[in-house]
Amino acid sequence: MSILVTGGTGYIGSHTVVELLEYGKDVIIIDDLSNSKIEVLDSIKEITNKTPKFYQINYLDKEKIRKVFKEHDIETVINFAGFKAVGESVAKPLMYYHNNIGGAINLLEVMQEFGVKNFIFSSSATVYGDPKVTPITEECEVGGTTNPYGTSKFMIEKILKDLYNSDNSWNICILRYFNPVGAHQSGLIGENPNGIPNNLMPYITKVANGELEILSVYGNDYSTKDGTGVRDYIHVVDLAKGHIKAMEKLEKEKSGLYIYNLGTGTGYSVLEIIENFQKVNNVKVNYKIVERRPGDIAICYTNPDKALNELEWKAEKGIEDMCRDSWNYINNNK
Ligand code: WQD
């Protein structure tokens, strides 16, 4: 039996593949390499001394997905594949809806055809929109998304709920990530987006190593501790381990639909991240305060209790690990 991981050469996907291989699972990756590199497979091999099967497939190509199901005995599918740049999604909504939702539907239809019902979905805290209360629990209202990327995640969650209501033999776990940062301690896999990073931590690392000149801090007039945005940053290895716990939950329950927030429960402001990064790595991060970024919210962090109580999972790594491992990865991969 194998675990099929879509987007498995990507940032969170590759870290999860490492954990799955070290857990002893047989892993098959499908990825179109649109936002990742084939060399990640070598890094996974170097870390685990194992090589997952790899198919360069876009999950919109249903026939090729079907072929993988025909050739392998798949027990569970973890779906990381999808476009994830918030700003790009505002400019190209059709591309985001077509790829993210169309790809997920393709995958689920082929799973249904082959009687594979265990599905773990990579969702996002962005489905909460601008939360009315913090910390956020899984019972908080969803759907107030402010960009097509977030809306695509919300719509796939809706599809999964309707699918489960139509057929209770499905066994689905929706994982809502907060802000993934950091890298595997080996420095062999991590986050290295193409072009100018959208997200805070990859931008900070490129300013610290001189690739970019200065960090723009998007607003310091939010009602937060120092006026800058507060987020729940979670180490990507903790996030990957959360997927192992979700897989074990599905193995235990056999059917159901389960939703968990994966975050630390602690919020840090932008200025606190900069301060921690400089202290831990003994580097300088030049920054300037500029206008707010459209669509940004002030505060977003989770109440992590449900994942602890039901998955026996909680984040173990702190902000220092996140800053140190992010910097280590970038220096290992200049
Ligand atoms: C974090 C904070 C910014 C960049 C988004 C998606 C989420 C997930 C992570 C995919 C905010 C500030 C940022 C910069 C800054 N995406 N910032 N200068 O927007 O919380 O979440 O990315 O999985 O689903 O919604 O993350 O890292 O972009 O921003 O001041 O150059 O850093 O204003 O307060 P965000 P982010």
Side-chain angles (χ1 to χ4, degrees):
M1 298 287 271
S2 303
I3 310 289
L4 176 65
V5 180
T6 72
T9 52
Y11 175 42
I12 303 168
S14 58
H15 285 82
T16 303
V17 166
V18 163
E19 296 302 325
L20 287 166
L21 291 170
E22 290 183 342
Y23 187 89
K25 288 293 183 182
D26 182 80
V27 175
I28 301 162
I29 295 175
I30 64 174
D31 198 305
D32 66 359
L33 300 178
S34 62
N35 195 22
S36 58
K37 298 178 177 66
I38 190 88
E39 289 77 14
V40 165
L41 295 176
D42 299 330
S43 302
I44 290 172
K45 171 91 161 70
E46 197 172 331
I47 294 168
T48 64
N49 199 26
K50 296 178 182 174
T51 307
K53 292 172 197 65
F54 175 76
Y55 297 90
Q56 185 171 353
I57 293 175
N58 182 314
Y59 66 161
L60 288 172
D61 188 334
K62 200 169 178 179
E63 269 322 299
K64 287 191 178 161
I65 298 175
R66 194 176 270 121
K67 192 166 179 296
V68 174
F69 275 75
K70 276 187 193 135
E71 290 172 6
H72 298 278
D73 185 7
I74 292 166
E75 63 179 294
T76 298
V77 174
I78 307 180
N79 183 35
F80 291 104
F83 296 148
K84 63 169 192 169
V86 170
E88 183 185 52
S89 78
V90 174
K92 301 177 180 173
L94 288 180
M95 182 177 101
Y96 269 68
Y97 290 131
H98 180 75
N99 182 73
N100 292 4
I101 298 169
I105 290 173
N106 265 358
L107 206 47
L108 293 163
E109 284 179 336
V110 174
M111 288 176 69
Q112 191 168 51
E113 202 178 307
F114 284 83
V116 178
K117 299 290 183 73
N118 299 321
F119 187 69
I120 297 173
F121 175 57
S122 163
S123 190
S124 165
T126 197
V127 301
Y128 293 108
D130 192 351
K132 293 183 177 52
V133 292
T134 49
I136 300 171
T137 68
E138 291 82 352
E139 287 64 47
C140 285
E141 191 183 336
V142 292
T145 47
T146 58
N147 57 77
Y149 157 76
T151 303
S152 75
K153 292 293 187 182
F154 170 65
M155 288 166 83
I156 296 166
E157 287 198 11
K158 276 288 292 163
I159 289 166
L160 292 172
K161 290 168 188 169
D162 290 343
L163 179 60
Y164 176 70
N165 289 336
S166 74
D167 172 357
N168 286 170
S169 69
W170 280 90
N171 200 17
I172 295 166
C173 194
I174 293 171
L175 299 178
R176 293 172 179 163
Y177 309 156
F178 280 68
N179 286 61
V181 295
H184 189 268
Q185 66 268 24
S186 65
L188 293 170
I189 52 176
E191 186 178 22
N192 202 357
N194 306 329
I196 306 289
N198 297 298
N199 297 135
L200 179 64
M201 188 63 90
Y203 207 107
I204 285 178
T205 55
K206 293 196 179 227
V207 170
N209 76 354
E211 280 183 61
L212 293 170
E213 189 203 342
I214 189 165
L215 169 73
S216 296
V217 174
Y218 297 137
N220 67 346
D221 58 349
Y222 288 103
S223 51
T224 62
K225 52 189 93 167
D226 57 24
T228 63
V230 170
R231 296 290 185 273
D232 185 332
Y233 298 93
I234 175 170
H235 197 292
V236 66
V237 171
D238 278 329
L239 196 56
K241 291 181 189 293
H243 290 73
I244 299 298
K245 291 292 189 180
M247 179 185 69
E248 289 178 336
K249 173 77 174 175
L250 295 184
E251 285 169 353
K252 186 174 122 222
E253 299 294 344
K254 308 299 180 205
S255 73
L257 186 140
Y258 309 95
I259 300 176
Y260 300 102
N261 289 349
L262 295 189
T264 64
T266 303
Y268 284 96
S269 73
V270 177
L271 294 182
E272 286 176 318
I273 296 293
I274 293 169
E275 185 190 322
N276 274 281
F277 191 91
Q278 292 182 139
K279 180 161 65 66
V280 163
N281 297 312
N282 192 24
V283 291
K284 183 87 180 78
V285 176
N286 294 322
Y287 71 88
K288 60 183 177 182
I289 305 292
V290 299
E291 286 303 299
R292 293 182 178 192
R293 178 172 63 177
D296 269 358
I297 59 177
I299 301 176
C300 180
Y301 65 97
T302 188
N303 172 330
D305 291 350
K306 188 179 179 191
L308 177 61
N309 297 334
E310 295 187 17
L311 298 182
E312 294 176 9
W313 172 89
K314 73 179 177 68
E316 305 288 344
K317 292 176 182 285
I319 195 67
E320 295 81 8
D321 300 310
M322 297 178 210
C323 293
R324 183 181 307 112
D325 294 341
S326 298
W327 185 233
N328 180 46
Y329 172 71
I330 283 296
N331 285 326
N332 260 340
N333 294 272
K334 280 195 175 113

